[in-house]
Amino acid sequence: MGRERDSTKTEGGFIKEPRVARTPLHFRRSACTVEIYYYTMAPYTLTYFAVKGRCGALKMMLADYGQELKENLVTFDEWGKGEIKASCLFGQLPKLQDGDLVLFQSNAMLRHVGRKHGAYGKNDCEASLIDMMNDSVEDLRLKYIKLIYQEYDTGKEAFIKDLANHLKPFDAILAKNKSGFLVGDKISFADFNLFDLLLNLKVLSPTCLDSFPALKSFVEKTSARPKVKALLENDDFKKLPINGNGKQ
Ligand code: GTS
């Protein structure tokens, strides 16, 4: 029989709600019917600020895999009080809950969801290559974040000028792989992460992909995935600012 969940327990200041529907599975063994309860794919719960920030890729990946996502939005005022920050393992958001698992670090979340939903390669070598790609996306994201939060007024022009040097390797990788993905023949969490970052970079510099045909077609193709498209067109998602300081 399935376990009941306590819907009143609080965790990190948030109400923990029942996350799963119990679904009975019946199968016949000899003459008796064995009833097994199992938890259907638990909706994930994401706690984060009302920005796309570091969670755009995660949301797109969950949408693409048809996963329900419950969101706890934290305002900057609430965060400023310090209680929620103190409850976070490394003092930062996002936080992802999947059943009893609590994760911090956005890239760990991408890996977790990728591993669960078949977006982490078909073998260890592909998984390692996907890790490598994702680390390179993170390198570029960190440069972007530094620009946005520390150097926007003084560094934007130089950043855009240098951007082609960072995009070129990704373009070459995508051009070489017939599938049009970074690794193997299936979309991976690193693809979603790259896609999300490219969308942000296009806002910063609308022409930045013009000399990169493989990146351009990658963005077009990923944007056209039906569930990703639906998310991108969703009003709640659309109205989220990209970054917390309003710069983009
Ligand atoms: N390496 C972390 C990750 O990838 O999750 C970085 C998380 C992070 O920088 N979080 C910021 C934060 O909590 C918010 S955001 O930059 O992702 O929008 N800032 C508040 C604080 O007090 O540090």
Side-chain angles (χ1 to χ4, degrees), residues 65-126:
Y65 288 106
Q67 295 301 302
E68 210 182 300
L69 177 66
K70 176 174 179 281
E71 292 189 63
N72 291 323
L73 293 179
V74 176
T75 66
F76 293 119
D77 282 352
E78 283 168 331
W79 185 255
K81 290 179 189 151
E83 197 188 318
I84 303 172
K85 184 176 174 78
S87 75
C88 296
L89 199 55
F90 303 105
Q92 290 192 312
L93 293 174
K95 165 182 168 181
L96 182 72
Q97 289 162 271
D98 175 13
D100 293 329
L101 178 72
V102 178
L103 282 178
F104 294 93
Q105 293 294 352
S106 56
N107 286 295
M109 295 168 195
L110 290 177
R111 286 191 167 84
H112 175 68
V113 173
R115 204 175 280 121
K116 281 183 66 173
H117 298 288
Y120 208 155
K122 64 175 179 293
N123 54 41
D124 287 351
C125 287
E126 278 197 5

Side-chain angles (χ1 to χ4, degrees), residues 51-193:
V51 296
K52 294 198 179 87
R54 282 188 161 275
C55 291
L58 181 73
K59 288 180 183 176
M60 287 187 248
M61 181 156 58
L62 288 173
D64 199 58
Y65 288 106
Q67 295 301 302
E68 210 182 300
L69 177 66
K70 176 174 179 281
E71 292 189 63
N72 291 323
L73 293 179
V74 176
T75 66
F76 293 119
D77 282 352
E78 283 168 331
W79 185 255
K81 290 179 189 151
E83 197 188 318
I84 303 172
K85 184 176 174 78
S87 75
C88 296
L89 199 55
F90 303 105
Q92 290 192 312
L93 293 174
K95 165 182 168 181
L96 182 72
Q97 289 162 271
D98 175 13
D100 293 329
L101 178 72
V102 178
L103 282 178
F104 294 93
Q105 293 294 352
S106 56
N107 286 295
M109 295 168 195
L110 290 177
R111 286 191 167 84
H112 175 68
V113 173
R115 204 175 280 121
K116 281 183 66 173
H117 298 288
Y120 208 155
K122 64 175 179 293
N123 54 41
D124 287 351
C125 287
E126 278 197 5
S128 298
L129 290 170
I130 290 167
D131 281 340
M132 177 180 79
M133 299 300 173
N134 198 63
D135 286 354
S136 297
V137 176
E138 174 66 13
D139 284 351
L140 183 53
R141 187 181 291 277
L142 285 174
K143 286 184 174 39
Y144 170 77
I145 289 173
K146 187 169 181 222
L147 169 77
I148 293 291
Y149 287 100
Q150 295 172 26
E151 302 171 344
Y152 195 81
D153 297 329
T154 52
K156 187 175 165 186
E157 206 180 309
F159 180 93
I160 291 174
K161 214 167 155 198
D162 189 35
L163 190 52
N165 294 324
H166 300 293
L167 294 177
K168 204 171 162 187
F170 289 113
D171 188 68
I173 292 158
L174 290 171
K176 208 167 149 204
N177 195 358
K178 280 196 217 82
S179 69
F181 299 121
L182 288 168
V183 178
D185 52 15
K186 256 181 95 175
I187 195 160
S188 73
F189 69 86
D191 289 300
F192 284 107
N193 202 12

